[in-house]
Amino acid sequence: MLEPLEGVLSSYGYPGLFTVSFLASTILPLGSEGFVVFLISRGFNLSAVVLVASIGNFLGACTSYYIGFKGRDYIEKYLRIEPGQIERAERYFSKYGSYVLLFTWLPLIGDALTVVSGILRLKFLIFSVFVFTGKFLRYLAVAYMTGAILL
């Protein structure tokens, strides 16, 4: 019964992973980790899976940064982030600084952190380094755990 679904998911491969990872980091409540685990379990290259997922998720976060950069009107129009989440993210920024961006992969607060970094006009290079590093390390951990389980 699951074989047709597995075939469909496998056929999407890296482009499907990129798309899901991108969307998971923007406006849709998706999780891309399951797709990462699935592809690795089907023999896809572990390094390529981690890199594709990281890049897709990072570029999705860049979209949220841009929306924050454009202002609160864009946030209300394009993102489903509640004002309370934005306020909480602003408090984290004031307490921990840019290092908080290492945790943009966390549910609920992660998207708000990327938006707030845009609102605060954080330098894009700093944003990029912290966000990509955090997302890459998350996917690397998922891939490593998946590989360890499969062995």
Side-chain angles (χ1 to χ4, degrees), residues 63-72 75 115-116 118-119 121:
T63 303
S64 297
Y65 172 92
Y66 177 75
I67 291 170
F69 193 85
K70 293 299 281 183
R72 290 189 187 263
I75 295 166
V115 171
V116 167
I119 291 171
R121 303 287 201 263

Side-chain angles (χ1 to χ4, degrees), residues 12-35:
Y12 285 112
Y14 298 118
L17 176 61
F18 177 87
T19 302
V20 168
S21 298
F22 179 90
L23 293 174
S25 187
T26 55
I27 59 173
L28 298 177
L30 295 173
S32 53
E33 295 80 8
F35 204 10

Side-chain angles (χ1 to χ4, degrees), residues 70-134:
K70 293 299 281 183
R72 290 189 187 263
D73 291 340
Y74 278 81
I75 295 166
E76 293 173 9
K77 184 175 181 181
Y78 295 111
L79 299 178
R80 298 178 192 262
I81 298 176
E82 297 177 18
Q85 290 176 298
I86 297 291
E87 292 165 9
R88 191 173 335 134
E90 288 174 332
R91 283 194 306 270
Y92 285 132
F93 263 101
S94 66
K95 186 173 183 179
Y96 301 108
S98 300
Y99 295 103
V100 74
L101 291 172
L102 291 169
F103 300 97
T104 57
W105 54 269
L106 289 171
L108 300 176
I109 191 72
D111 293 337
L113 290 171
T114 59
V115 171
V116 167
S117 63
I119 291 171
L120 297 175
R121 303 287 201 263
L122 184 68
K123 289 184 181 179
F124 188 71
L125 179 62
I126 292 169
F127 169 87
S128 296
V129 168
F130 284 113
V131 171
F132 186 82
T133 299

